[in-house]
Amino acid sequence: MYHALLLLVQKLSYEVEEQIFSEVSLAIQKPESYFEMFKDRLDERGIDSPIDELAWISLVDSLLDHGLAFEIDWKESGLYICDVVDELLDRKNMACVSWEDFEDGEFDELPTSLCLNKISGKLKEQAISLASLDIESDCYVLITVPSSDTDEMKALAKEAGYSIQDSF
């Protein structure tokens, strides 16, 4: 279980693998110490003691802190999500995408899940996948990854007992 999670750290952590690996390892090996060190961060999630999912939450929060993931509400507008995706792509030096097709105004009126599917389709043209780390919340923790890595990352997450989704 933890082996798969640590392999996922390698896949997702881009240029900050050591820092993210350190946080996730601490959450695995010494959950009490991790909890004390990141109490404020966990309090924002309503976590007031170490939980079984602490290692997964530590991965998510570390990716967020390093700009490798972005958490959005379930009811965000389309063009805002495009801006978020631009930031994620830029952070990993991935190809830029033109959102010109989405600027007609109707895109912003779509439900978030439909916007995410349209954005995901656009990214696939560039061999990039938009995915979400499932934290069993009413939000999306978005990541961008090479499409060639998506199936492996989903399998590693599943083996670790968690979920990465690339359809919304």
Side-chain angles (χ1 to χ4, degrees):
M1 174 180 164
Y2 291 129
H3 178 71
L5 186 61
L6 295 174
L7 288 173
L8 196 55
V9 167
Q10 287 179 316
K11 289 282 190 188
L12 294 174
S13 58
Y14 192 55
E15 297 172 331
V16 288
E17 182 179 337
E18 190 174 310
Q19 294 96 318
I20 295 175
F21 183 84
S22 173
E23 285 186 31
V24 174
S25 294
L26 182 62
I28 292 168
Q29 297 167 358
K30 298 180 181 178
E32 291 287 341
S33 296
Y34 178 87
F35 179 78
E36 287 304 317
M37 184 177 287
F38 295 99
K39 196 172 190 165
D40 291 340
R41 178 199 284 178
L42 295 168
D43 187 52
E44 290 177 23
R45 292 198 177 281
I47 300 171
D48 57 6
S49 64
I51 58 173
D52 291 341
E53 299 83 11
L54 196 59
W56 181 250
I57 295 298
S58 71
L59 172 60
V60 168
D61 283 343
S62 192
L63 290 170
L64 290 167
D65 283 353
H66 291 286
L68 296 169
F70 201 100
E71 192 169 353
I72 64 166
D73 190 66
W74 65 274
K75 55 183 177 184
E76 290 295 346
S77 69
L79 291 177
Y80 173 75
I81 299 169
C82 292
D83 290 341
V84 165
V85 170
D86 280 343
E87 287 180 36
L88 291 171
L89 294 171
D90 186 54
R91 171 66 177 90
K92 287 182 151 182
N93 297 315
M94 295 175 118
C96 294
V97 175
S98 170
W99 304 113
E100 191 174 293
D101 299 346
F102 298 160
E103 293 176 353
D104 63 8
E106 290 179 26
F107 182 67
D108 265 346
E109 303 303 317
L110 294 174
T112 303
S113 60
L114 288 178
C115 290
L116 290 168
N117 278 323
K118 286 187 172 283
I119 291 169
S120 181
K122 184 78 170 168
L123 289 173
K124 283 187 174 144
E125 295 171 8
Q126 303 287 328
I128 298 169
S129 288
L130 179 66
S132 178
L133 304 170
D134 187 3
I135 58 171
E136 297 182 14
S137 176
D138 65 349
C139 66
Y140 297 95
V141 179
L142 300 177
I143 57 171
T144 52
V145 296
S147 294
S148 59
D149 292 346
T150 306
D151 288 340
E152 181 183 6
M153 287 185 200
K154 288 168 59 176
L156 287 170
K158 184 176 181 177
E159 185 179 332
Y162 303 102
S163 174
I164 295 177
Q165 302 166 351
D166 64 342
S167 58
F168 304 93

